[in-house]
Amino acid sequence: MKKRFISAAAALALYLTACTPVNEDVAAAESGESDVYISPEAENTASAGSYVRSFLTEEEKQAYDSLVEAVNNYEPLIIFPEGFDEAAMKKIFTLVYTQENRIFWLDSKFYCDGETRTINLFYRYNKDEAGEMRAVLDLAAGKILGSVPEGSSDYEKILIFHDAIVLGCDFSKEGKYSNTAYGALVDGSAQCEGYAFALSYLCSSAGIENYVVQGSSKEGASHAWNKVLANGKWYNTDCTWDDPILKYENPDYLRHDYFLVSDAEINGRTHFPDESLFPPAECTASDRNYFIKNGLMFITPEEGEKGLSEAVRLAASAGKTEAEIRFDNKEAYDAANEHLFAEDGFKKIIEDLNGNYGLKIKSAHKTVNDSMYIIHISLVF
């Protein structure tokens, strides 16, 4: 009998536990929201895999559902129908593992026996432990979902989810729950897979269609992020890379470099999605991008410098420490960087703001994203 020990990620030649963060840590933020329990069976719940499932045959959908049921029942194995070879079995397992984030107790590793059409399943936590964790996870998710104002748009909901994950989680490969939504939303420690599962968990609970993307970075490290459907259009969102490891301590650091961006902005540049199992949702729109929505996208260096000055003024006046702008072209971005930081243009901006508005900015840190043409400023008062 021929058995092969593999993982869901290895089935795609990508092992997600190898994912790495942007090399720039965010401490967990305390929530002041009241506890709200959201049932996983709530009426507005959307399946994280609904887009993915649309490309499966009826036989594959039945196998997919059977595997989900087996995992929910803690079955030790599942036998596939006739006609499923190893590749087809691995495909179904990989899709269930990556899209059904509510069954976080399923381990990514499994035994596949092509001769008997059997996959032996393994679990990270026992049934009692997983049940308790599920209740705690739904409670943590409920706090975030309960903070969404009534009548919020998809954009506003996803922004709340994104910011809560980024502020509440630290990137780590070492945590016991780092590959799960539980790690990101409860333990406050996760790697890219956990970040992506957490956003998917929240979006699905809010009825927002989404799915988890597996792929790699330009350095070849495996990576995971999300595609979300906001107001009828698909976008990419990467919570992991919006939560970088900083050289200085700043628990309030929050950026939106990869919030609702198009394929053209990241695919083949910073993100390399694996598209071998199903056709990807095309993300061609940019009107819901954070910087465009908030008037923080600029064409010329002069406009950008004025925009940055205003963004810093508004942040400092409100007692906030973060301000960010983006350019839509490399030339303007490079010119602004040169004038602001090589020629002391930003120093003059701070001096003028302190003098004209009575602000008390003592110093500032800059973080730049050369791929997305973004300048981010962190203020110290």
Side-chain angles (χ1 to χ4, degrees), residues 256-290:
H256 302 89
D257 294 20
Y258 300 97
F259 180 78
L260 299 188
V261 297
S262 66
D263 290 337
E265 293 171 286
I266 62 171
N267 283 5
R269 297 174 60 187
T270 56
H271 293 62
F272 295 78
D274 185 292
E275 300 175 350
S276 62
L277 296 184
F278 57 88
E282 294 185 1
C283 303
T284 59
S286 58
D287 55 313
R288 291 297 192 280
N289 176 264
Y290 177 85

Side-chain angles (χ1 to χ4, degrees), residues 254 308 311-313 315 321-325 375-379:
L254 176 64
L308 182 60
V312 170
R313 184 187 72 81
T321 61
E322 309 302 318
E324 53 193 348
I325 65 166
I375 297 174
H376 187 109
I377 300 295
S378 297
L379 306 172

Side-chain angles (χ1 to χ4, degrees), residues 4 25 36 51 99 121 137 140 161 215 222 233 244 267 283 297 340 345:
R4 300 181 61 190
D25 159 337
V36 181
Y51 175 85
Q99 305 308 321
L121 305 172
L137 175 57
F161 301 158
S222 60
K233 299 176 182 178
N267 283 5
C283 303
M297 180 78 83
L340 286 168

Side-chain angles (χ1 to χ4, degrees), residues 53-123:
R53 280 175 60 89
S54 69
F55 296 99
L56 300 180
T57 66
E58 287 305 313
E59 290 76 14
E60 288 175 327
K61 288 178 182 177
Q62 291 175 13
Y64 185 105
D65 292 340
S66 294
L67 179 53
V68 170
E69 183 179 3
V71 174
N72 277 317
N73 292 330
Y74 266 76
E75 300 290 345
L77 57 82
I78 180 173
I79 301 174
F80 284 76
E82 291 187 9
F84 279 79
D85 57 15
E86 268 196 20
M89 292 160 60
K90 293 175 188 176
K91 172 184 175 180
I92 298 302
F93 182 93
T94 301
L95 293 180
V96 167
Y97 177 79
T98 57
Q99 305 308 321
E100 296 297 326
N101 52 74
R102 291 183 179 277
I103 50 177
F104 56 83
W105 51 89
L106 175 65
D107 200 304
S108 63
K109 297 178 181 179
F110 59 96
Y111 279 113
C112 183
D113 186 341
E115 294 178 4
T116 61
R117 304 188 309 280
T118 300
I119 282 183
N120 291 73
L121 305 172
F122 298 88
Y123 301 98

Side-chain angles (χ1 to χ4, degrees), residues 162-219:
H162 166 279
D163 291 359
I165 293 169
V166 171
L167 288 175
C169 186
D170 289 326
F171 183 92
S172 174
K173 300 178 183 178
E174 309 304 324
K176 180 180 178 181
Y177 315 106
S178 61
N179 292 329
T180 68
Y182 185 95
L185 297 179
V186 178
D187 192 51
S189 176
Q191 57 179 317
C192 60
E193 195 174 26
Y195 280 83
F197 286 166
L199 183 59
S200 180
Y201 198 101
L202 292 170
C203 286
S204 297
S205 297
I208 297 173
E209 191 170 354
N210 70 92
Y211 70 90
V212 174
V213 183
Q214 292 189 101
S216 62
S217 67
K218 63 181 179 181
E219 291 80 19

